[in-house]
Amino acid sequence: MRIFKREKELELWIEGKEGRFALFRTYPICAYSGELGPKQRQGDNQAPEGFYRVSAGQLNPQSRFHLAFNLGYPNAYDRARARTGDFLMVHGSCVSIGCYAMGDGGIEEIYTLAAAALNNGQNGFEVHAFPFRPDHAALDHERHSAWFAFWGELAPAYEAFEQTRKPPRISVDGLHYAIVARP
């Protein structure tokens, strides 16, 4: 999955032949809270940006927001930077205090597909949350933002996927994201 805040879109990709992914559907994000930029602390009402992994234990079919899955915030990158917060979700409904709200219809399809993949042997799935599509032009437009360096760390994973349609392996090296191996 890929999330783009500015565009208010969640893309769901499905693995096909030779490990290449094909776009299944693009869903409108009904609501997210905060501005462009990463979540930094509990209570800042900011939706996270970065690279997250979701496993079966993070699914919540009993969510008060219809259905939900936990993004896994804070990840290793966030923890290395002492960022705090928990229970950052992709869920139904159309309200957000740090989550990505997809509306009930959208989350039903997203959740059903995610649960089916996890119940049929897939051990997890990646969620790449971007402020916008970080191509060269968009990054150049944001060059004066306080988050420019951070967004520059997200861009190589976006570019790798755009080129290969295979998600790159991403790790945390000190205080920075790093692509371990390009697919």
Side-chain angles (χ1 to χ4, degrees):
M1 288 184 203
R2 299 193 311 174
I3 292 171
F4 301 100
K5 279 184 177 177
R6 179 181 291 154
E7 294 86 348
K8 292 184 78 173
E9 293 178 342
L10 181 149
E11 295 177 342
L12 181 64
W13 293 78
I14 297 178
E15 188 172 7
K17 294 178 181 176
E18 301 174 10
R20 293 177 59 84
F21 282 68
L23 181 62
F24 174 75
R25 184 161 293 142
T26 300
Y27 299 87
I29 295 172
C30 186
Y32 71 85
S33 56
E35 304 295 326
L36 298 183
K39 180 170 187 61
Q40 297 183 76
R41 66 189 172 284
Q42 181 77 30
D44 67 2
N45 294 332
Q46 184 73 7
E49 294 172 6
F51 304 110
Y52 300 93
R53 182 156 179 82
V54 177
S55 60
Q58 292 164 255
L59 299 180
N60 183 0
Q62 304 302 317
S63 171
R64 66 184 179 136
F65 298 105
H66 190 51
L67 297 166
F69 60 85
N70 188 325
L71 283 173
Y73 179 93
N75 63 17
Y77 179 93
D78 301 317
R79 290 189 304 274
R81 293 179 172 270
R83 294 181 176 164
T84 59
D86 53 13
F87 302 112
L88 280 292
M89 306 281 181
V90 174
H91 60 65
S93 189
C94 195
V95 296
S96 172
I97 53 171
C99 300
Y100 293 100
M102 303 305 301
D104 291 350
I107 197 62
E108 282 182 18
E109 188 167 277
I110 295 164
Y111 184 95
T112 299
L113 292 167
L118 295 171
N119 289 332
N120 286 295
Q122 188 171 316
N123 63 8
F125 61 89
E126 308 299 321
V127 179
H128 294 185
F130 297 104
F132 46 81
R133 295 180 188 282
D135 58 29
H136 295 294
L139 281 173
D140 186 55
H141 184 263
E142 298 293 340
R143 67 185 173 283
H144 299 297
S145 170
W147 298 115
F148 180 74
F150 169 67
W151 293 336
E153 289 188 36
L154 303 180
Y158 172 82
E159 291 168 4
F161 184 80
E162 286 295 297
Q163 292 171 3
T164 65
R165 293 296 188 236
K166 295 180 181 182
R169 281 193 29 232
I170 301 164
S171 71
V172 176
D173 184 9
L175 294 175
H176 302 282
Y177 281 119
I179 294 179
V180 175
R182 290 194 183 249

